[in-house]
């Protein structure tokens, strides 16, 4: 089941809070989207746990997300 959700995140570069649309699907995935304020690339990681809980994590392109 795919769910589109409006999420507020803080840009890891400029610190601004921005609203993004995230698609929660039945599997985990990663993608990159530019900040709407400073235009730098933000890495998004969407995880779905075994019990169906949805998690969104963001980091800068040079940081590593621990999965």
């Amino acid at each position: 089941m795919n769910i589109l959700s409006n999420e507020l995140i803080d840009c890891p570069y400029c610190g601004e809070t921005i609203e993004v649309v995230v698609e929660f699907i039945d599997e985990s995935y990663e993608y990159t989207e530019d900040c709407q304020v400073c235009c730098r690339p933000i890495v998004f990681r969407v995880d779905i746990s075994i019990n169906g809980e949805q998690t969104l994590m963001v980091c800068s392109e040079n940081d590593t997300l621990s999965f």
Side-chain angles (χ1 to χ4, degrees), residues 8-19 35-38 42:
L8 292 176
I9 62 139
D10 293 327
C11 174
Y13 299 101
C14 67
E16 289 290 327
T17 301
I18 58 174
E19 184 175 14
C35 174
Q36 301 158 4
V37 177
C38 70
I42 303 170

Side-chain angles (χ1 to χ4, degrees), residues 45-60:
R45 173 71 184 196
V46 180
D47 280 323
I48 306 297
S49 70
I50 207 149
N51 64 358
E53 184 178 325
Q54 303 162 338
T55 307
L56 172 65
M57 295 176 281
V58 298
C59 71
S60 68

Side-chain angles (χ1 to χ4, degrees), residues 12-28:
Y13 299 101
C14 67
E16 289 290 327
T17 301
I18 58 174
E19 184 175 14
V20 295
V21 177
V22 177
E23 183 175 19
F24 290 98
I25 58 177
D26 293 334
E27 60 186 44
S28 299

